[in-house]
């Protein structure tokens, strides 16, 4: 039975769209990752950032930062809020110490930047030694990775908003929205945390 002209046209248009999207995805995956950037959206009090070259400085409002390899320390009564180029927001409260092991992102165009979600793909690896960090990752692309190393185990953000409070005895992970995964130190076990839900982690819990 012969196909109608409009059916052929729709089929061809669908195929052409698939080819264009596939080519765009391949180009995006082929692009090499470079250092992602961050912008200071709010800062208060004593804040010190030490970069991978050992240079220390206090960030200024609206300053653009390259975070890979840096350590961020906040004093009592201080806070730092930054917006990342992958759409994530990070808030670091007082008396905290956070290390940014790596933040890499594939380049994107100005047109891609206008979309609601992350315009490319990125990899973010953080560590928290003490204090409180808030992470808003609800705009992350599905292919992106965001990890936070804890004193005992680590979490991976899956389009989630969460707060992590860490002290000498325990860590409290609270997902207010979205989903994250907690991986035990042995990497053999994991636990899903779906907002609104909290997870209390101590050394005894991971043994």
């Amino acid at each position: 039975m012969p196909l109608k002209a409009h059916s052929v046209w729709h089929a061809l248009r669908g195929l052409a769209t698939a080819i264009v999207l596939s080519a765009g995805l391949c180009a995006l995956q082929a692009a090499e990752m470079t250092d992602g950037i961050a912008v200071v959206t709010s800062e208060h009090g004593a804040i010190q950032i030490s970069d991978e070259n050992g240079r220390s400085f206090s960030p200024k409002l609206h300053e653009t930062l390259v975070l890979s390899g840096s350590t961020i320390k906040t004093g009592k009564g201080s806070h730092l809020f930054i917006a990342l180029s992958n759409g994530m927001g990070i808030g670091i409260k007082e008396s905290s110490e956070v290390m940014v092991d790596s933040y890499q992102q594939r380049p994107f165009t100005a047109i891609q930047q206008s979309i609601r979600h992350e315009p490319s793909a990125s990899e973010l690896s953080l560590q928290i030694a003490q204090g409180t960090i808030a992470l808003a990752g609800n705009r992350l692309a599905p292919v992106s990775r965001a990890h936070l190393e804890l004193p005992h185990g680590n979490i991976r953000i899956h389009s989630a908003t969460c707060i992590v409070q860490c002290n000498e005895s325990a860590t409290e992970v609270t997902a207010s929205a979205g989903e994250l995964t907690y991986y035990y130190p042995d990497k053999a076990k994991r636990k899903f945390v779906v907002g609104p839900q909290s997870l209390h982690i101590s050394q005894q819990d991971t043994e």
Side-chain angles (χ1 to χ4, degrees):
M1 181 177 179
L3 290 173
K4 293 182 179 180
H6 75 275
S7 298
V8 175
W9 166 249
H10 284 301
L12 290 174
R13 186 170 61 177
L15 179 59
T17 301
I19 292 172
V20 170
L21 290 176
S22 176
L25 180 60
C26 291
L28 181 62
Q29 293 175 336
E32 292 186 1
M33 286 195 176
T34 60
D35 283 330
I37 62 172
V39 177
V40 178
T41 57
S42 179
E43 51 83 20
H44 176 74
I47 305 166
Q48 184 182 61
I49 298 180
S50 301
D51 64 21
E52 60 183 350
N53 298 317
R55 184 177 69 96
S56 296
F57 62 95
S58 297
K60 304 300 181 185
L61 184 63
H62 301 149
E63 183 176 2
T64 300
L65 307 172
V66 176
L67 293 176
S68 288
S70 64
T71 298
I72 303 170
K73 295 181 180 180
T74 57
K76 187 174 182 179
S78 303
H79 72 253
L80 175 67
F81 293 99
I82 53 180
L84 305 187
S85 51
N86 65 358
M88 282 190 69
I90 298 178
I92 302 173
K93 296 189 70 177
E94 65 175 347
S95 304
S96 300
E97 182 176 355
V98 174
M99 289 73 75
V100 184
D101 294 330
S102 176
Y103 174 43
Q104 299 280 301
Q105 187 176 29
R106 289 196 176 98
F108 54 88
T109 66
I111 295 177
Q112 291 173 310
Q113 188 176 6
S114 64
I115 65 176
R116 185 176 182 274
H117 291 88
E118 181 181 4
S120 62
S122 60
E123 294 182 359
L124 174 66
S125 179
L126 305 167
Q127 295 184 51
I128 182 169
Q130 63 179 16
T132 303
I133 184 172
L135 300 166
N138 55 310
R139 293 189 176 184
L140 279 179
V143 294
S144 293
R145 297 183 179 182
H147 289 271
L148 175 63
E149 192 74 26
L150 309 173
H152 306 290
N154 70 85
I155 60 174
R156 179 179 177 183
I157 309 292
H158 305 285
S159 188
T161 299
C162 66
I163 297 176
V164 178
Q165 297 172 293
C166 179
N167 58 40
E168 294 180 357
S169 60
T171 299
E172 188 86 14
V173 179
T174 302
S176 58
E179 179 183 312
L180 58 85
T181 305
Y182 169 70
Y183 293 90
Y184 287 80
D186 61 5
K187 310 291 186 183
K189 295 188 297 181
R190 61 183 178 177
K191 183 178 180 65
F192 294 103
V193 182
V194 181
Q197 187 179 2
S198 295
L199 178 65
H200 182 84
I201 307 160
S202 65
Q203 185 174 357
Q204 290 76 17
D205 296 330
T206 59
E207 291 177 348

